[in-house]
């Protein structure tokens, strides 16, 4: 009987050590110590033994029971600790890391208008131009008067704008930078002035109250339309990466004489006619001309000695043509899905 008990103890402790689930441990407890368990069944035969043997076996069986129960409890604790350790190592996260970005890149991106502005700045600086800045809130003098647009000139109607209470205005064009350029430099000089401009305008797909231009001005001896054409062709070739056919039509702007509208051969249809060029084969791109003598005088430059050309390039139009954007209002919409595409 004694041997049987120690054998049961030995076997049970061995299988408890090998066990790796709490449910299996409970099963061992039932199989050995339960009502119909191995140990319980043997102890039923205790009644056939002598009183000394009964007491000896009784004590031994208690020791065996306790050791099995303790072994089961200890192994259970061990298993639970192992499970916890496993979870801790598998489910570990570094809370100091950034969260998952909502967009593929959260570094930001350059707005398409800024991209084209930078490109144009590079092209012109490589041709000896310097880049000038000017204020967005301008005086009437810089925006109109110095540009040969006196107070009651009808050309002011074309450029209605927002006025401040102290009679300044949101500049209607970057041409105001021309005047500042003439004040800052003495001829010969070449400047461009990129910037944001404003008009009091009913908005639609091709009109906005806020848009972007790059102004250009070159003053030197004997500047002619040929010089103007050369620089404009070079600019367009660099931007569109191909030779672009151009034509000049007369255009009226009080600050140039003669003034032109420069058209380019439609890049979409190659000139055969499409909806972009309204079947004409040409797209109006860039107003320009030779600087009016009155403007030179206002800028302190002697028109008998110096002459120059100027141009004003609309950046929104350029980006719209390049990407096939059909509504100018997208630029200001603040819709992140729009800017993310560039
Ligand atoms: N400032 C004119 C506008 O916004 C554009 C312009 C026309 C600029 C002719 C020029 C120029 O420099 O020579 O409508």
């Amino acid at each position: 009987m004694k041997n049987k008990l120690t054998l049961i103890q030995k076997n049970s402790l061995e299988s408890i050590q090998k066990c790796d689930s709490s449910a299996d441990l409970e099963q061992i407890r039932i199989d050995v110590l339960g009502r119909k368990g191995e140990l319980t069944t043997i102890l039923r035969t205790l009644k056939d033994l002598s009183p000394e043997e009964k007491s000896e076996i009784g004590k031994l069986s208690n020791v065996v029971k306790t050791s099995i129960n303790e072994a089961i409890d200890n192994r259970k604790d061990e298993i639970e600790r192992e499970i916890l350790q496993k979870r801790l190592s598998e489910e570990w996260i570094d809370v100091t890391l950034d969260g998952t970005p909502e967009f593929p890149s959260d570094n930001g991106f350059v707005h398409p208008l800024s991209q084209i502005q930078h490109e144009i700045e590079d092209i012109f600086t490589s041709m000896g131009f310097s880049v000038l800045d000017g204020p967005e809130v301008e005086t009437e003098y810089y925006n109109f008067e110095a540009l040969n647009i006196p107070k009651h000139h009808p050309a002011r109607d074309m450029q209605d704008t927002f006025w401040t209470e102290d009679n300044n205005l949101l500049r209607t064009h970057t041409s105001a930078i021309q005047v500042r350029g003439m004040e800052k430099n003495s001829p010969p000089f070449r400047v461009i002035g990129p910037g944001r401009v404003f008009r009091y305008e009913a908005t639609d797909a091709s009109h906005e109250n806020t848009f972007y231009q790059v102004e250009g001005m070159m003053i030197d001896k004997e500047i002619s339309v040929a010089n103007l054409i050369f620089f404009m062709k070079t600019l367009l070739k660099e931007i569109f990466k191909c030779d672009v056919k151009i034509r000049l039509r007369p255009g009226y702007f009080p600050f140039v004489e003669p003034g032109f509208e420069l058209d380019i051969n439609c890049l979409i249809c190659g000139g055969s006619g499409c909806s972009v060029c309204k079947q004409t084969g040409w797209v109006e791109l860039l107003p320009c001309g030779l600087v009016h003598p009155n403007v030179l005088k206002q800028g302190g430059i002697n028109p008998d000695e110096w002459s120059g050309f100027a141009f004003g390039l609309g950046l929104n139009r350029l980006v719209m043509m390049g990407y096939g954007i059909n509504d100018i209002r997208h630029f200001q919409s603040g819709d992140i899905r729009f800017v993310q595409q560039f």
Side-chain angles (χ1 to χ4, degrees), residues 61-260:
S61 74
N62 279 339
V63 172
V64 171
K65 263 193 211 165
T66 314
S67 70
I68 291 177
N69 270 325
E70 274 177 3
I72 288 178
D73 291 343
N74 290 341
R75 181 69 192 133
K76 255 187 160 176
D77 285 350
E78 250 174 51
I79 290 172
E80 270 164 29
R81 248 180 286 126
E82 279 166 16
I83 290 173
L84 183 67
Q85 276 308 325
K86 196 161 169 253
R87 274 188 61 190
L88 284 177
S89 61
E90 277 175 3
E91 296 176 18
W92 178 90
I93 55 160
D94 184 350
V95 292
T96 62
L97 282 179
D98 292 342
T100 312
E102 191 180 344
F103 301 115
S105 157
D106 52 3
N107 293 333
F109 26 79
V110 181
H111 192 284
L113 285 169
S114 305
Q115 286 180 30
I116 193 92
Q117 180 185 319
H118 297 160
E119 205 178 316
I120 290 168
E121 286 175 5
D122 283 349
I123 296 168
F124 277 103
T125 47
S126 78
M127 297 193 290
F129 284 70
S130 48
V131 182
L132 280 187
D133 200 6
E136 290 178 352
V137 179
E138 262 297 4
T139 63
E140 210 178 333
Y141 173 77
Y142 284 106
N143 197 81
F144 290 129
E145 269 151 39
L147 288 166
N148 205 28
I149 315 175
K151 227 184 185 66
H152 299 292
H153 196 287
R156 286 208 185 187
D157 294 345
M158 315 275 291
Q159 301 196 356
D160 200 1
T161 185
F162 303 90
W163 294 79
T164 62
E165 281 170 1
D166 53 358
N167 283 329
N168 290 317
L169 51 87
L170 295 191
R171 68 178 174 203
T172 58
H173 50 187
T174 44
S175 301
I177 302 176
Q178 284 186 21
V179 186
R180 294 180 178 277
M182 287 186 288
E183 286 176 355
K184 277 206 185 78
N185 298 281
S186 41
F189 66 84
R190 306 169 183 192
V191 292
I192 57 164
R196 187 154 61 152
V197 300
F198 310 86
R199 303 268 168 99
Y200 179 60
E201 194 91 70
T203 55
D204 61 27
S206 46
H207 294 88
E208 240 312 3
N209 52 39
T210 305
F211 51 99
Y212 292 77
Q213 295 183 329
V214 172
E215 193 75 13
M217 183 182 233
M218 174 173 178
I219 306 288
D220 210 320
K221 296 251 154 98
E222 290 171 18
I223 292 291
S224 72
V225 177
N227 300 108
L228 170 65
I229 292 174
F230 167 79
F231 279 96
M232 295 304 97
K233 274 193 143 176
T234 310
L235 165 71
L236 297 173
K237 187 176 173 180
E238 290 291 322
I239 290 181
F240 295 115
K241 312 278 181 261
C242 61
D243 273 315
V244 184
K245 254 206 230 158
I246 64 163
R247 73 174 184 189
L248 294 184
R249 283 181 294 118
Y252 176 69
F253 305 95
F255 33 94
V256 280
E257 178 58 38
F260 305 104

Side-chain angles (χ1 to χ4, degrees), residues 9-109:
Q9 182 184 34
K10 184 172 164 275
N11 289 345
S12 302
L13 293 180
E14 268 174 21
S15 39
I16 288 167
Q17 273 323 305
K18 280 187 214 139
C19 198
D20 52 13
S21 96
S22 300
D24 291 350
L25 285 170
E26 281 311 318
Q27 194 54 51
I28 294 175
R29 209 195 301 265
I30 293 166
D31 290 346
V32 182
L33 309 175
R35 256 191 326 121
K36 292 179 185 163
E38 233 180 319
L39 190 75
T40 324
T41 313
I42 288 176
L43 291 179
R44 289 217 179 92
T45 60
L46 214 59
K47 57 182 187 328
D48 306 328
L49 299 178
S50 68
E52 295 81 37
E53 277 177 323
K54 262 191 204 164
S55 123
E56 194 189 349
I57 297 294
K59 275 183 200 151
L60 180 62
S61 74
N62 279 339
V63 172
V64 171
K65 263 193 211 165
T66 314
S67 70
I68 291 177
N69 270 325
E70 274 177 3
I72 288 178
D73 291 343
N74 290 341
R75 181 69 192 133
K76 255 187 160 176
D77 285 350
E78 250 174 51
I79 290 172
E80 270 164 29
R81 248 180 286 126
E82 279 166 16
I83 290 173
L84 183 67
Q85 276 308 325
K86 196 161 169 253
R87 274 188 61 190
L88 284 177
S89 61
E90 277 175 3
E91 296 176 18
W92 178 90
I93 55 160
D94 184 350
V95 292
T96 62
L97 282 179
D98 292 342
T100 312
E102 191 180 344
F103 301 115
S105 157
D106 52 3
N107 293 333
F109 26 79

